[in-house]
Amino acid sequence: MKDLEDYHVSTMHYSRIMIAVDDDDFISSQRAFDYACTVAKIYNIPLAVAMILETGDLNIFQSLSPDVLTKQRAAIAKDLNTYCDKAREFGVLDIQPFLGEGVPSHEIVDKIIPSFRPDLLVIGSETKMGRRKTIGTHAAYMARYAPCSVIIVRSDAQISRMISYFEE
Amino acid sequence: MKDLEDYHVSTMHYSRIMIAVDDDDFISSQRAFDYACTVAKIYNIPLAVAMILETGDLNIFQSLSPDVLTKQRAAIAKDLNTYCDKAREFGVLDIQPFLGEGVPSHEIVDKIIPSFRPDLLVIGSETKMGRRKTIGTHAAYMARYAPCSVIIVRSDAQISRMISYFEE
């Protein structure tokens, strides 16, 4: 293969990172957040922290009630601020929060990525091995359609569950 | 959320990297290979280079002919050696080649990962936007079932094609 013979490895880094945090799944997001902050700090590059209020999670009465929505919005905005503070304490200098509302994967791919233009999207991965669901629906959608590289960060606990499931 | 308040970001690195090289798709693999070598060199960690002879690509006459199989095996072994040499020239110290035969994603997930036990799998991503196929079947399978973190590396050319496709 001639192309391969002529090829030389080049140093390759990412220059804009986005982390999609699942507000309902702190455990799954934690290792992904550690990874995103580590890369952003080491290379001193901008980090976007994106959180989505899943309006599909609300029942019809809740979604029609301005009070419920207002409370949910306040709660998620508070968590987003906390995540940004944690990144700042760790040493990330350029942090940009993004708050969306709707279907998380669609909001991230269709609205937040075109706005921030990351070259790497970092996502956690929920694992429900009982039903052989090893990657969240939102993670699978983002891995497929995000116009950037995507890293799916698995925690040690998730990996252990996957391995023991396959060995059964 | 109490867990979140108590959380502090920790530095997080990977310690064993595997790159799955698609021998039929040098362009798509190149940026992924650059990334894997960069991380392996900077952190001085072991790098596994895995290539699979896709026996499903052979027709029935080819697969029954020892000559054809022997030639294919020799060709892929040569390319695998070349990739390992490129990584070594770049400065990666610990390089382990893995040669498999069969369905690439299954060979990687079921045989090579359990043997090398990487904590990060690096894969390129073919993009066929015409049929809205934005991630290869093998990439999707590995992202779902690999018991480790997975990074899907997209090239600038792929990203441009994806963006122009969605904007149409």
Side-chain angles (χ1 to χ4, degrees), chain A residues 8-146:
Chain A
H8 292 282
V9 178
S10 307
T11 299
M12 199 279 250
H13 295 304
Y14 289 105
S15 58
R16 291 177 76 77
I17 296 200
M18 174 176 285
I19 166 95
V21 176
D22 183 349
D23 200 31
D24 292 335
D25 189 0
F26 171 66
I27 301 299
S28 166
S29 295
Q30 193 173 322
R31 199 169 149 88
F33 199 79
D34 284 347
Y35 177 78
C37 288
T38 300
V39 176
K41 180 182 172 181
I42 288 177
Y43 297 109
N44 192 17
I45 56 179
L47 173 70
V49 182
M51 288 182 81
I52 311 296
L53 175 60
E54 287 200 55
T55 44
D57 280 357
L58 306 176
N59 66 41
I60 185 72
F61 300 104
Q62 289 174 321
S63 63
L64 289 174
S65 153
D67 274 6
V68 171
L69 263 180
T70 304
K71 272 186 196 162
Q72 295 256 10
R73 281 190 189 117
I76 201 167
K78 182 170 173 288
D79 284 348
L80 180 58
N81 271 332
T82 305
Y83 272 107
C84 291
D85 288 345
K86 302 286 180 186
R88 203 169 289 112
E89 282 164 21
F90 178 69
V92 181
L93 299 178
D94 183 347
I95 304 160
Q96 300 181 36
F98 285 87
L99 192 53
E101 227 168 274
V103 178
S105 48
H106 293 226
E107 287 292 304
I108 300 275
V109 169
D110 298 341
K111 295 187 186 158
I112 302 181
I113 288 180
S115 164
F116 181 72
R117 295 199 167 266
D119 50 11
L120 178 63
L121 174 66
V122 181
I123 52 183
S125 155
E126 58 179 299
T127 316
K128 289 173 187 159
M129 295 304 306
R131 280 176 279 163
R132 211 182 154 90
K133 183 183 171 191
T134 51
I135 186 174
T137 318
H138 294 305
Y141 183 92
M142 290 187 279
R144 189 174 279 264
Y145 294 115

Side-chain angles (χ1 to χ4, degrees), chain B residues 63-85:
Chain B
S63 64
L64 289 173
S65 155
D67 274 7
V68 170
L69 263 180
T70 305
K71 271 187 197 162
Q72 296 254 12
R73 282 190 188 118
I76 200 166
K78 182 170 174 289
D79 284 348
L80 179 58
N81 272 332
T82 305
Y83 272 107
C84 290
D85 288 345

Side-chain angles (χ1 to χ4, degrees), chain B residues 2-119:
Chain B
K2 192 170 178 306
D3 288 343
L4 176 56
E5 295 296 337
D6 296 341
Y7 159 66
H8 292 282
V9 179
S10 309
T11 298
M12 199 281 251
H13 294 305
Y14 288 105
S15 58
R16 293 177 74 80
I17 296 199
M18 173 176 284
I19 166 95
V21 176
D22 182 350
D23 200 31
D24 292 336
D25 189 359
F26 171 67
I27 301 300
S28 165
S29 295
Q30 192 173 322
R31 198 168 151 87
F33 199 79
D34 284 348
Y35 177 77
C37 289
T38 300
V39 176
K41 180 182 171 180
I42 287 176
Y43 296 109
N44 192 19
I45 57 178
L47 173 71
V49 182
M51 289 182 80
I52 310 296
L53 175 59
E54 288 200 55
T55 44
D57 281 357
L58 307 175
N59 66 40
I60 185 73
F61 299 105
Q62 289 174 323
S63 64
L64 289 173
S65 155
D67 274 7
V68 170
L69 263 180
T70 305
K71 271 187 197 162
Q72 296 254 12
R73 282 190 188 118
I76 200 166
K78 182 170 174 289
D79 284 348
L80 179 58
N81 272 332
T82 305
Y83 272 107
C84 290
D85 288 345
K86 302 287 181 186
R88 204 168 287 114
E89 283 164 21
F90 178 69
V92 181
L93 298 179
D94 183 348
I95 305 161
Q96 301 183 33
F98 285 87
L99 192 53
E101 228 168 271
V103 178
S105 48
H106 294 225
E107 287 292 306
I108 299 275
V109 170
D110 299 340
K111 296 186 187 159
I112 302 181
I113 287 179
S115 165
F116 181 72
R117 295 198 168 265
D119 51 10

